[in-house]
Amino acid sequence: MTERDLVQPPPPITGPRSCDLAEVLERVLDKGIVIAGDIKIDLLDIELLTIRLRLFVSSVDTARRAGIDWWETDPALSSRAARDALAQENAQLRERLHALESRMDPDERSAIGAAAAEKGGGA
Amino acid sequence: MTPPEPPALVYAFAVCRGGDLPGTALDALDALDVLAELPGLPELPGLPGPGTGAPVRTLAAGPLTAVVQDVPAAGFGEAALRQRLADRDELERCARAHHAVITAAAALAPTVPLPLATLYLDDGRVREALGERETSFLSALDRIAGRAEWGVKVYAPTGPPPAPQTASEAASETSSETASAVGPGSGRAYLDRVRTRQRNREQRHTLALRAAERVDAVVRGLAVAARRLRPHGVEVTGAHRTHVLNAAYLLDLGRERELHAALASLRRDETDVQIELSGPWAPYSFADGGIADGGTAP
């Protein structure tokens, strides 16, 4: 008598509203979703659905064709935004380097400059 | 860097063939206008201005027609959407409104559902976007015309919770050969019990998977296309059962009776699993939002 589970009443065949919602969401959100983020759906205090919503299709291109491009500015979602972030960091580092260099004595600086010139980096 | 936001955006629900929706003319538009009064996208609380309840309308774009609605940009911008769709009630409202319009359109003509929250800057952008994907929309429409999607889910009951079981199992196992070698309270007896339980569970799961394959084979035989969807987790199914098959099938209209008969017979034969049918649905799983043009998935 280990199969007590079989005695459990089967769930109603035509699901209640909650089931219905899960099915609607399943279809409405299936690969069609354009929104990124984590969405939790709780119904009747039960966690019904945990849908991890990431970009909806394989490429940002496809999504943009769908008319939406706001994620392009979000580094977590867009490689381009990530690149921009990188560029920004790069610029900040350059600035700091410049500031540090300007504090060195002239001999040292010219030595570094010569080394850089040797490597083919002008200026 | 972001361009100035226009006051209104165009929300696109679905795409139909050009001749189809205007062909049914007033009826179609009337039906869709009624939908604008549904508690849904148009009636969002906290939106500025009286700009709610814009009618759902059709928008001709070459050989295609889009089913669209003007929505206030304030409620459908990035931040607003992110926030709203993270809210369960709002998500439900948006999904249901989206679904309601698509269902209404699909009742009138072959319809390719578009993704939730497909927003364009204006009508011109809708036409442009539809034009770019014209071929795939048209072939998707060919594929789904005269057909509907049905969902079949197969569940396996999971074992009873281990805690109440251990007592009775321990009692029944005292007479078994393992118990003769070691006492019922010993570590080895415990491990044996755990192993047996694990094996039973695996066996049951294997049987359920096989049953699911049989169900799939039967329904696939009736369908022109089939797709496996991701099984639901316990959050959806509840702890007392696991999802072993979540599939969508594209069936010619008029085969419902066969489908129901097949499922009735499957339910009689496959007593180890629960089989659920849902539908008919607009062909969400087979239209690809007009994005892919790859024909029917295997």
Side-chain angles (χ1 to χ4, degrees), chain A residues 2-3 5 8 11 17 21 23 26-27 30-32 34-35 39 42-43 47-49 62 66-68, chain B residues 85 88 92 96 115-120 149 153 158 160 204 227 232 235-236 241 246 278 281 288 291:
Chain A
T2 53
E3 300 302 317
D5 46 80
Q8 271 177 344
R17 227 175 109 80
L21 173 63
E23 287 232 58
E26 176 176 38
R27 286 190 158 69
D30 174 44
K31 85 185 162 304
V34 204
I35 304 307
I39 293 184
D42 301 297
L43 274 187
E47 191 183 43
L48 238 199
L49 271 178
T62 323
I68 301 184
Chain B
L85 294 188
R88 171 177 68 79
E92 172 167 5
R96 284 192 187 282
L116 181 71
T118 301
L119 290 154
Y120 295 97
E149 174 175 335
K153 295 190 193 322
T158 53
R204 228 171 9 219
R227 252 193 69 205
H232 292 165
E235 305 90 358
V236 180
R241 55 182 192 169
N246 189 13
S278 70
W281 296 89
D288 292 318
I291 288 164

Side-chain angles (χ1 to χ4, degrees), chain A residues 2 4, chain B residues 160-173 184 190 193-194 197:
Chain A
T2 53
R4 206 181 323 163
Chain B
Q165 201 192 351
T166 34
S168 64
E169 253 194 18
S172 71
E173 274 178 15
Y190 169 76
R193 280 200 303 279
V194 169
R197 211 156 45 221

